[in-house]
Amino acid sequence: MRPSSAELPVLGSGVIRERADAARNRLRILAAAERLFRTHGVAGVTMDDVAAQAGVGKGTLYRRFGDKGGLAVALLDQRERELQQRMLSGPPPLGPGAPAADRLGAFVRAYLDLVEAQLDLVLLSETSTPGARLRTGAHAFWRQHCRYLLAESDATDPELRADVLLAGLAAEQVRYWLRDEQRDLDVLARALCAAALSLLR
Amino acid sequence: MRPSSAELPVLGSGVIRERADAARNRLRILAAAERLFRTHGVAGVTMDDVAAQAGVGKGTLYRRFGDKGGLAVALLDQRERELQQRMLSGPPPLGPGAPAADRLGAFVRAYLDLVEAQLDLVLLSETSTPGARLRTGAHAFWRQHCRYLLAESDATDPELRADVLLAGLAAEQVRYWLRDEQRDLDVLARALCAAALSLLR
DNA sequence: TGACGAAGCGGACTGCGGTCCGTTAACCTT
DNA sequence: AAGGTTAACGGACCGCAGTCCGCTTCGTCA
């Protein structure tokens, strides 16, 4: 889909290596975007701004990241990978070893924290285009994990219920709870965990 | 928020009546939009197209409907009101008289049908701007209804669970299930009803 | 090391959503 | 019925996301 550092060709395989200027520009763009987003807020930065700040043409920006959402995806990549690692091989209850229900609760909590910490960026990555949320590589990962845990607990229709759960964790919805309804993050997390557990039956 | 025919000033109260040219233009615009959306698809129609086809300036379009999503909301208004009437005073299990759990299932089914029948329009109304979905008057209605039914069944945290349920019924998600995953509407409806019932406990 | 092919670059350009503000005409008042 | 008030109109205008295509530079291979 969208090229990000995660999906770039890897040295040694049959795939061609990333060209030097391309690599340099990719880093420049990411650095510039992060700086601008931090100081002006995600909404206050245009793609022209990013290109100019990175000292790069707009075409380069789009060739690399596809669209504004793709840029957000790339910026989120690092944090998401960390969480994914913890889920795959970290300590329980998030990592393997705990009962599926506990792991699901731990995931909801950890994912919610990640979304909250990067709300604007996640929102951008999920809403830049209708349906974007469901098309990122990261989303496929979260879904796969939830499906597995739901199936493990003999939930009916784990695929669909994983999607329902993740729909409830969409940035748009989380932002509404947190900002518009002023819900406390911890209380919200507990309530969502309980709802997730309900979906197990 | 967004002015729609539903919120227009009503004759007789202290509020000022809609001017004659305004009423004429409103109808022209809605007719033009419906015609264009039907023949060219929602995505293939620009606001300039609508204005031109309606024989009206663009400013008029925006003054009346706020943005493209507002136009979609207005077009959906009729169908949504019908469903709302059935929920408030139609026959059970959708209307009053049946157990809350049955009414919830009936709502999920009926709402899903409405979304499916007008997928592109609902999608537009929910995604024209991030968070639009949660801000329409209709959404407040669906939410209120679900909250009530959940509370009636002694569900924990009915407010939050209503939001989770409705997030799962968002047009973006429904389109994904129907179009990308090719799920059968009936099967999907049954699975979602089951998930909704799980949220009751 | 020179030269060739292709990946990558960059910025002018396009199209569309949304705004602004000078003009028009509906409705009220007397 | 004439005049004044003001809501409503309309289309030129703006900003930004995203595209296109002629030019540049990288990496390779002889």
Side-chain angles (χ1 to χ4, degrees), chain A residues 32-73:
Chain A
E34 196 187 337
R35 203 173 330 136
L36 287 172
F37 285 161
R38 190 154 19 106
T39 56
H40 299 89
V42 171
V45 176
T46 70
M47 292 298 263
D48 288 88
D49 292 339
V50 176
Q53 177 75 211
V56 142
K58 224 178 165 191
T60 304
L61 198 48
Y62 278 97
R63 145 174 289 266
R64 205 139 272 299
F65 299 103
D67 64 11
K68 209 179 178 185
L71 188 52
V73 167

